[in-house]
Amino acid sequence: MYEPIRTKPVVHRMGATPADYPHSSRAEALDIQLAGHLAALLAVTDELGLDEGAAEIAAQVARLRGAQPARAPRHSAEDAAALHQRAHDLAARALLVAASRADTTVAILAAERMDAHAAALTSSDLAGAL
């Protein structure tokens, strides 16, 4: 049988008012999440040496964060297929967040990056089969 709770809650915030701690809106949280996914995609894109795609991604990260992103120096891509798969997955995550925040520019960019990395994976699979 259900009996209602008649006592006050035990946990209290001492002297806390809503202004005592920072709040972020859903849109701000999505901006932060999207910038993080794009920054990770930028790092993988830089590692692959895809300068054109990296410039577009860096511009969107700068727009979302308000500052230029840190860029990683280019390394030799030892396992390009794994990097392309990782980049494809990161672009897919960015696409999902961009779609939920209704950011058409980033959604189109993420879809283009997904297509580019999927094509690179397909061509590397074909080259490996020959």
Side-chain angles (χ1 to χ4, degrees):
M1 191 87 194
Y2 173 76
E3 186 169 333
I5 299 173
R6 297 180 187 174
T7 61
K8 290 187 175 185
V10 177
V11 178
H12 296 283
R13 289 181 292 202
M14 298 299 291
T17 62
D20 285 347
Y21 52 94
H23 288 285
S24 62
S25 67
R26 177 166 164 38
E28 291 170 336
L30 288 173
D31 283 349
I32 293 166
Q33 186 178 16
L34 183 57
H37 289 314
L38 288 175
L41 178 60
L42 177 61
V44 175
T45 304
D46 278 342
E47 193 165 345
L48 284 166
L50 304 173
D51 295 329
E52 182 181 323
E56 295 173 7
I57 297 167
Q60 292 303 317
V61 173
R63 180 181 63 86
L64 290 167
R65 288 190 176 162
Q68 289 296 322
R71 302 289 297 266
R74 183 178 175 186
H75 300 294
S76 62
E78 295 175 13
D79 189 6
L83 287 174
H84 280 295
Q85 183 61 51
R86 179 167 168 71
H88 184 273
D89 295 344
L90 288 167
R93 291 179 189 154
L95 178 61
L96 288 173
V97 177
S100 74
R101 102 177 252 287
D103 190 336
T104 308
T105 305
V106 175
I108 291 170
L109 174 63
E112 288 172 351
R113 298 312 312 154
M114 285 179 66
D115 290 344
H117 293 294
L121 284 169
T122 303
S123 66
S124 68
D125 288 344
L126 292 176
L130 296 177

